[in-house]
Amino acid sequence: MARQQFIDQIYYLTKKEFINKGFTFNDVWKKIVKDGKLSKEEQNQNIGIVYTDLLQDARFIYMGNKKWMLREFATQEEIDKFQNMLYDFNNDIAEENAAINKTSVTEEPTEIEEDEEIDININRNVGKTYDEKEDE
């Protein structure tokens, strides 16, 4: 089965069975596997591709907590809420990373021991030709 056929099948399946309701990828994938009688090999080859295609297809919107919904069944307020929720989550992560980076930058620098200086010099010279090393 071609990639587009999988995502179209998910679309028609969810439009028929999950009207105005959220669904999980696992629920839909199980039905596709059963209906298409996919072998284990076909399942393993396609599950990641199909999930990635679902992420990129504008007909679907991620609601959070592993739930999806057809965009056409969501109100604009719901779409805004889901998108803001994901945006806020990313902001929380960015703020947390900034706090971690700020903490690590303000720590006192440690003295480099003689052995470490040698290692640093060796790493700087890796990949240089003999002539380039002589010029230094």
Side-chain angles (χ1 to χ4, degrees):
M1 190 179 293
R3 286 175 72 161
Q4 190 60 41
Q5 287 176 314
F6 278 117
I7 202 71
D8 287 342
Q9 189 176 0
I10 290 173
Y11 173 76
Y12 293 116
L13 176 71
T14 56
K15 189 170 183 166
K16 178 180 157 191
E17 295 189 23
F18 297 97
I19 298 172
N20 293 326
K21 294 191 301 189
F23 60 90
T24 66
F25 178 77
N26 285 337
D27 292 338
V28 173
W29 183 248
K30 287 176 188 175
K31 289 182 183 279
I32 289 174
V33 167
K34 183 179 176 186
D35 293 347
K37 298 179 177 123
L38 300 177
S39 69
K40 288 284 185 195
E41 184 179 336
E42 289 173 313
Q43 291 175 46
N44 291 335
Q45 288 175 346
N46 291 297
I47 190 167
I49 294 167
V50 173
Y51 189 80
T52 301
D53 289 347
L54 180 68
L55 286 168
Q56 296 173 350
D57 194 305
R59 296 177 289 184
F60 302 94
I61 187 163
Y62 184 69
M63 298 168 36
N65 201 26
K66 300 180 184 177
K67 291 278 193 174
W68 292 85
M69 181 179 220
L70 282 177
R71 183 177 294 267
E72 65 194 68
F73 294 139
T75 64
Q76 187 59 48
E77 292 83 26
E78 289 174 318
I79 292 170
D80 292 342
K81 176 185 153 193
F82 300 143
Q83 289 174 336
N84 288 335
M85 177 184 63
L86 292 174
Y87 179 75
D88 290 342
F89 177 74
N90 288 334
N91 279 344
D92 291 344
I93 291 172
E95 288 171 9
E96 188 175 303
N97 286 338
I100 291 169
N101 289 335
K102 184 177 181 182
T103 302
S104 62
V105 170
T106 59
E107 293 175 1
E108 292 295 318
T110 58
E111 293 292 320
I112 298 176
E113 296 187 20
E114 190 174 317
D115 291 341
E116 290 179 272
E117 287 179 24
I118 293 169
D119 289 340
I120 291 169
N121 290 331
I122 290 171
N123 289 334
R124 286 185 189 146
N125 289 321
V126 170
K128 291 184 179 178
T129 65
Y130 181 76
D131 291 336
E132 290 172 322
K133 291 177 187 173
E134 288 292 314
D135 291 340
E136 292 179 355

